[in-house]
Amino acid sequence: MIKISEKKSVLKLENLTIKFGGLTAVDSFNGYLNKGELVGLIGPNGAGKTTIFNMITGIYRPTFGNVIFNGMDITGMKPHVITHLGIARTFQNIRLFSEMTVLENVLVGEHSWLTNFAARKALHKHDPEEYPRPRWKPWFWSAILKTPDYLKMEKEMKSHALELLKAVELEKYAHLSASALPYGPQRKLEIARALATKPSLLLLDEPAAGMNPQETHELLEFIENIRKKFSLTILLIEHDMKFVMGICERIYVLDYGKIIAHGLPKEIQNNKKVIEAYLGDEIYV
Amino acid sequence: MKRISVRTNFILTTIFVIGSGFFLLFADNTFGDYWSRIITLIAIYAIMAVSYTLVNGVTGIFSLGHAGFIAVGAYTAALLTLPIQQKAMSFFIEPLIWPLNSIQIGFLPATIIGGIVAAFFAFIVGYPSLRLTGDYFAIATLAFGEIIRIVIQNSYSITNGALGLKGIPPYTTVWWSWGWLLVTIIVIGSLKFSSYGRALRALSEDTVAARAMGINVFKHQLTAFVVSGFFAGIGGALYAHWLTTIDPRPTSLGIMLTFYVLIMIVLGGLGSISGAVLGAIFFAIAAQWLRIVESPMNFFGITIPGIPGMSMLIFATVFILIMLFWRRGVMGKKELSWQYLYNLFLKKVGDQD
Ligand SMILES: Nc1ncnc2c1ncn2[C@@H]1O[C@H](COP(=O)(O)OP(=O)(O)OP(=O)(O)O)[C@@H](O)[C@H]1O
Ligand SMILES: [Mg+2]
């Protein structure tokens, strides 16, 4: 096992537990993510990985336990506030706004720039020294009246969105409908859309699912790139072992809602419990 | 593909608006009273439809309470413009309460106040209802719309109850109605094509993803609902001063009206502002034309008596057929823009992007 000082933790999960009726989907999950780390979360189907994401992002409220983000307890906060605080995610089964264009999808992520008052207020309450009292701006009225203020913002949003699309190599499809994209680029667009909210922590739910080895390899480099470029901390769920071993610095292994192993990729690879958990599932071993 | 620039768009649109103005001036003066009234009605319907499509189309929540807000706007404005003697005469079951019985204000402020009161009602109705989703929301708004109507029907000292209001000054001209339609289109169009409009369209597709993108779904839906309620109220105010008599029967300012406006926006394409206007034009004209089927007819010497309610039956049938076979309506979710027309008519073969 590795020793890391937990001081710089971006994310800390303390005894995170959730029950659905009689089923304990996640049972006392303890984990942390340090600044700039890329950590993997693996485990067989139904282990509770996506459920952990849903608890971090506020879609589910944990039965017990806490989610601490940058030292602030965000358990039970609304999903949109958590996004404004700097946690963005992608979904296992791609959830793009398919009737909107590629560019519009990214712009939707940037809408959070106008509406993050509640999150800034929460930050101010948490640490008045570092976060000044936020000022509320009537963006809604500015948007309808198209004030110079708003038009400037809109312009900024658009150029930032195009930059993001360039970063994910989708700028030439900007005006195409999102549903017209092939599978791989859709996953990339979902990442770009998440980045548009200017997160510091990115949660990727099976980003390589459904990709061929070539695409998977490209995705590996792509994730490394955006991690550096946007100084991100990343937690990712993935089934493709080669992918996980190739990219993650640390790995949590989950089975039936419990952590069965935690450590460096090498340690995980040879861990008996992990091999047992995946037994019968030849692809993974 | 050639993209039409913002500048060109603006110039063409301005020319179009001014041209429409001249057309209206011409039509108002030459086609006679009957058609003037129809042209005015078209704009009133269009205001109702555009405000309705903001909720049911753009935001993607299915409200059935639109007529409730129209009624609130209609009654509010009418009570403010009715001459004082007229009020004293009409309210013979119970006298009108103070201060309504002693004020009479101009048409413009009355219309605006009608819109504001309707927006307030939309807030009161939307706040609890929007906690519900899908069908439950539709049922809740349907119930609230009906409650508004029944309250109107029973508040004799404010609304004159089932007797309704008579002698409302016929202020609504072609200019008032089309002027307000222009305002409605500009405001709701500006909303739709802003960051907020994108957020609304996003949450109409997938609320979970929208929340993950940082959109406060409830607040955005409520905002759209209130804006829609405001313009429904404006539409109601204009409608009252067009009808000159209003009452709370379900067939006048009740569920029937919601149903009419629903036909307009579905026909035009849910979520499309220009579609809503086209739907309103079509509906207003078709409704006049369908009067024929309700009046006695003479077929080769055989006289068929008029069948009351026949036009409603035909509309209902058309509505069902649209829902079954043509759900995207005339415009789908698109807008009738210069770009759209350019692509439709002028795009050369092989000129694709
Ligand atoms: N809303 C819910 N209600 C009831 N049970 C749920 C709910 N969400 C998840 N579960 C259950 O919790 C368990 C964990 O599900 P989860 O989606 O987190 O698994 P996973 O590790 O992401 O699996 P996969 O690799 O298949 O995506 C499953 O048994 C699932 O059925
Ligand atoms: Mg999952």
Side-chain angles (χ1 to χ4, degrees), chain A residues 80 83-84 91 95 97-100 104 107-109 111-112 114-115 139-140 143-144 146 150 154 157 193 197, chain B residues 187 190-191 193-196 198-199 201-202 205-206 208-216 220 223 227 333:
Chain A
H80 66 268
T83 304
H84 297 166
F91 293 91
R95 299 184 90 133
F97 305 117
S98 52
E99 284 179 20
M100 302 172 87
E104 281 174 328
L107 286 168
V108 167
H111 184 60
S112 58
L114 306 176
T115 56
W139 278 117
F140 178 72
I144 286 189
K146 300 273 182 281
Y150 175 78
E154 175 92 41
M157 286 167 129
R193 189 181 69 171
T197 65
Chain B
V187 172
S190 177
L191 172 59
F193 294 101
S194 74
S195 189
Y196 286 85
R198 271 193 301 270
R201 283 191 290 144
E205 275 194 54
D206 185 339
V208 173
R211 284 195 181 97
M213 288 299 103
I215 295 167
N216 185 344
H220 280 73
T223 307
V227 170
K333 285 202 172 205

Side-chain angles (χ1 to χ4, degrees), chain B residues 218-265:
Chain B
F218 173 74
K219 212 166 157 184
H220 280 73
Q221 288 176 336
L222 187 60
T223 307
F225 200 65
V226 170
V227 170
S228 163
F230 176 80
F231 285 105
I234 299 285
L238 296 168
Y239 197 37
H241 294 82
W242 180 86
L243 289 167
T244 69
T245 315
I246 52 175
D247 62 64
R249 275 174 306 151
T251 45
S252 55
L253 288 172
I255 181 66
M256 224 48 162
L257 185 57
T258 300
F259 182 57
Y260 288 156
V261 187
L262 189 62
I263 293 177
M264 298 175 208
I265 62 173

